[in-house]
Amino acid sequence: MARVVLPHIPHHVVQRGHNRQVVFAGPDDYERYLEDLRELSSALEIRVYVYCLMTNHVHLLLGPGEEVAAMGQLMKALAARATRYERKTGTD
């Protein structure tokens, strides 16, 4: 069943790591996610009311505009960027 998204109504969204694995190993990981969230939510006109970044998951309270499909696009893009992101280990 598809998610029901209502325009201009806040929605609680949870995004978890694969098999609940660690998503944020350090401060740089959190900062990168927030930068991506700011950029993508602005581009897709999604209002971010509040967020809570946990070690292995994220809680977001999002407000879609008129284009309700944008919320799914936001979550897909955030997951794609996290998958492509390579943590800096300090060994080059």
Side-chain angles (χ1 to χ4, degrees):
M1 174 180 235
R3 175 185 295 138
V4 175
V5 179
L6 303 172
H8 308 291
I9 301 294
H11 292 70
H12 175 233
V13 179
V14 178
Q15 188 174 40
R16 296 190 187 280
H18 181 67
N19 291 328
R20 299 188 180 195
Q21 292 175 335
V22 169
V23 176
F24 305 108
D28 290 344
D29 298 339
Y30 291 101
E31 290 175 28
R32 178 216 27 97
Y33 186 89
L34 291 174
E35 287 173 16
D36 289 345
L37 179 60
R38 272 189 285 276
E39 177 187 332
L40 292 166
S41 64
S42 176
L44 293 167
E45 299 180 0
I46 300 285
R47 187 168 184 180
V48 179
Y49 291 100
V50 67
Y51 58 85
C52 179
L53 307 182
M54 308 298 282
T55 319
N56 67 346
H57 68 285
V58 176
H59 291 270
L60 301 168
L61 188 59
L62 303 174
E66 285 298 317
E67 184 57 51
V68 294
M71 197 162 74
Q73 293 168 347
L74 170 68
M75 299 313 296
K76 183 178 179 178
L78 282 170
R81 287 187 180 196
T83 300
R84 290 190 307 264
Y85 174 70
E86 200 172 306
R87 287 186 184 90
K88 299 198 186 335
T89 61
T91 58
D92 290 333

